Amino acid sequence: MADFDIDLLEQHVDALIRKCQQLKEENASLHASQEHLVAERAELIEKTELARSRLEAMVARLKAMEEQL
């Protein structure tokens, strides 16, 4: 009976170890994805700001041209 209990305990511990390893790998993958998404977001924000700045400059030029007419 004691051997059965020890074997069962060992199986449970092994299952927990496997689960911990799986969660560590998943966590590392999620962190890598998060870093990628944060970098991508920063790039998109920069592109949006550049586009906004260019658009504002075009609007200002159009207004200046309109005033000359």
Side-chain angles (χ1 to χ4, degrees):
M1 185 71 172
D3 286 341
F4 175 75
D5 291 341
I6 290 174
D7 290 341
L8 186 60
L9 178 61
E10 186 176 7
Q11 289 174 7
H12 286 236
V13 169
D14 288 342
L16 286 172
I17 290 170
R18 285 191 302 274
K19 188 63 173 179
C20 283
Q21 185 60 37
Q22 175 193 355
L23 291 172
K24 280 173 121 177
E25 291 169 4
E26 184 179 339
N27 192 30
S29 175
L30 290 170
H31 277 287
S33 292
Q34 181 182 14
E35 286 178 18
H36 172 74
L37 291 171
V38 166
E40 185 177 354
R41 180 180 182 272
E43 183 179 331
L44 290 171
I45 288 171
E46 184 178 334
K47 285 181 179 181
T48 301
E49 290 301 319
L50 177 60
R52 178 180 288 126
S53 175
R54 291 176 66 187
L55 185 58
E56 288 173 353
M58 287 191 300
V59 168
R61 286 196 308 266
L62 286 172
K63 285 181 179 179
M65 289 173 59
E66 185 180 68
E67 290 174 1
Q68 290 177 353
L69 297 176

